[in-house]
Amino acid sequence: MCSLFLFAERNRRMANSAECFLMSLVMIGILSQVTSDAFDHKYNKGDPVPLYVNKVGPYHNPSETYPYYDFPFCPPDLWQEKEESLGEVLNGDHLVSAPYNLNFRLDRESHVVCRRNLTRKEVALFRTAVSKDYYLQMYYDDLPIWQFIGAAQTNDVDTFNYYLFTKVHFDIFYSGDRVIEINLLTDSSNRADLTEDKVIDIEFLYSVNWKETDLPFDTRMQKYTMFAHFPLNMKKHQFAITNSFWTIILLVGCLVALYVRVLRKDFNDVLSIIILGVAGVFHPYDHGVQKVASVIIYAITNVIAGFTAVSFYHQLEGSNSAKNLFLAGSLFCGPLFLTFCMLNTVAGIYESTAEISMGNIVKILLIWVFIALPLLLLGGTLGKMTKSEFQAPCRSTKCPREIPPLHWYRAALPQMAIAGFLPFSVFYIELYPIFASIWGLKVFTTYGVLCVFFIFLVTITALVSIGLTYLQLAAEDHQWWWRSFLCGGSTGLYVYAYCFFFYFQSEMSGFLQTSFFFGYMTCSCFGLFLLLGTVGFRASLIFVRHIYSSIKFE
């Protein structure tokens, strides 16, 4: 039998089955937030408890998911589709009533769900699903549960036999009038052989056993996040943080030693202490809500983008603020929307649950039209009304000095390669768990660690950009504006290169999963390039103002 945390006989590619199933449960079971029909989660004996089947898909291709009833499982007596929130839609959920009756505190023994006569085509469909490690996902009282639909085993002639699990057992724990925990077990003695292409008769069964526990209701989600806090994982995070910290200290020391002879004054600025208060802010099972929050926050912050773009543009005596404002509003979301349209078309062709309907696309567009666009225009208007002048630290000549011939390593591309390597080398250790939570079936819950590494990333990017800008100016190359932006953003190119490494290290396959992975990661790395490029430019601008303000004209 395989349980929620112990799944025996994983398959030929999973040697340690129990550990993989534990990890997989934590990974997949918390991918979306579902709101229960029973808002207070309190039930009397015999009351129906909401149970929904969600989706089916290959274990190694988390973006390739299909509706549960696209497969010839037993249909429910009462077909009911749950009205999904925007977050659930963005998460690719498709919640439909399940064929199992798991009423509160009512046991069942080997209850027949239905009897099916599978055609050869249906047998081939299930066999393909078993060979690709398809899992199914359900939600019971908002608690995620899932299982593999079958297993593959080698036979005497070194080929595989494929089996479909036909009986499931639910172990449900309760405390008072609340559901605390649910475990899903499959009975290996009840399975159907799908190896041959022939018509077979199958009887699907299930059983339910209720058990009392003294665990409180508000701790029932803790088991889904405990893997992220295992001592081994925390040691990895601590080692990475320590390594990054000392890298920053070493870099700051080198830069200070380099600048102190040029600035003609001491560095008396005190470093700010950043206190992270992220504990309890996010929940690992709220991913649908986080996606909606990302859309809303991006729309709201357009007022900042509009103000910053137009005000700085006017400081540089720009004459076409409308074009500048349009570019600020579409530079990132334009390519993202085009990528989304292409990938959504691919999902529609594959009839995947990842496809977002036209109605929900309209909702997102309305958010942009009625929130993002007006705030962008408002910010641009405020920026245009701001009459601030460019804060030049000293006078400059009208005739720029000719840039002397430079060595090859001072060109833009070599400088970008140098600039991106150090920030990437500091935080690349954290990339794998982040990628695995987005493109695998793991869950990332250490948001505090992520916040620390983001601060490290921004700090190192700023320091490296400042250092390269100083070296560029020392070589009498005064064209540092775009160079600082390109050098700051070059870390995004390293992350994009890491995408290829992660893809080939994983077992992703198929056009749907591949297109989703590289499509959205291209947009993500482009966004990271813009973010860190802005950090590099702003840090370099502050530095240039600082050093040239110390120049005294006789």
Side-chain angles (χ1 to χ4, degrees), residues 11-73:
N11 63 23
R12 62 193 181 281
R13 288 168 297 196
M14 295 294 179
N16 193 338
S17 60
E19 179 182 355
C20 290
F21 193 78
L22 167 63
M23 294 170 60
S24 301
L25 169 67
V26 175
M27 299 165 191
I28 185 62
I30 318 170
L31 286 179
S32 62
Q33 184 241 358
V34 182
T35 303
S36 172
D37 290 343
F39 296 104
D40 57 0
H41 299 277
K42 294 183 178 180
Y43 308 96
N44 297 318
K45 185 174 182 179
D47 286 349
V49 182
L51 172 64
Y52 296 100
V53 292
N54 189 13
K55 51 193 175 184
V56 180
Y59 177 83
H60 299 290
N61 292 351
S63 297
E64 184 184 350
T65 54
Y66 305 97
Y68 179 86
Y69 291 112
D70 279 4
F71 292 79
F73 292 112

Side-chain angles (χ1 to χ4, degrees), residues 330-468:
S330 61
L331 185 61
F332 176 72
C333 68
L336 178 62
F337 182 73
L338 292 177
T339 302
F340 162 76
C341 291
M342 291 187 292
L343 296 181
N344 201 54
T345 302
V346 172
I349 295 174
Y350 278 80
E351 298 182 350
S352 170
T353 61
E355 179 190 12
I356 298 179
S357 65
M358 183 57 64
N360 288 290
I361 294 177
V362 171
K363 291 180 182 178
I364 298 175
L365 290 176
L366 290 177
I367 292 175
W368 192 87
V369 170
F370 290 103
I371 298 179
L373 184 58
L375 291 177
L376 180 68
L377 296 176
L378 175 62
T381 303
L382 295 176
K384 191 173 183 179
M385 294 170 58
T386 304
K387 301 299 183 180
S388 60
E389 297 181 354
F390 183 73
Q391 301 174 8
C394 62
R395 297 190 303 272
S396 59
T397 178
K398 297 294 183 180
C399 299
R401 178 184 298 179
E402 182 180 355
I403 300 175
L406 303 175
H407 296 288
W408 65 268
Y409 54 83
R410 291 187 182 274
L413 291 180
Q415 292 289 294
M416 291 174 63
I418 296 173
F421 177 76
L422 185 58
F424 177 78
S425 64
V426 167
F427 83 102
Y428 83 95
I429 298 176
E430 284 299 308
L431 280 181
Y432 182 81
I434 295 174
F435 273 58
S437 65
I438 300 175
W439 299 108
L441 301 179
K442 292 184 178 180
V443 58
F444 190 88
T445 60
T446 53
Y447 294 104
V449 174
L450 179 61
C451 186
V452 170
F453 272 95
F454 178 75
I455 295 173
F456 284 170
L457 175 62
V458 170
T459 304
I460 295 177
T461 299
L463 293 175
V464 170
S465 298
I466 291 173
L468 291 177

Side-chain angles (χ1 to χ4, degrees), residues 34 52-54 80-82 84 88 93-96 139:
V34 182
Y52 296 100
V53 292
N54 189 13
Q80 180 182 0
E81 292 191 15
K82 183 180 181 296
E84 297 166 352
E88 291 166 350
D93 292 333
H94 187 75
L95 302 173
V96 184
Y139 283 95

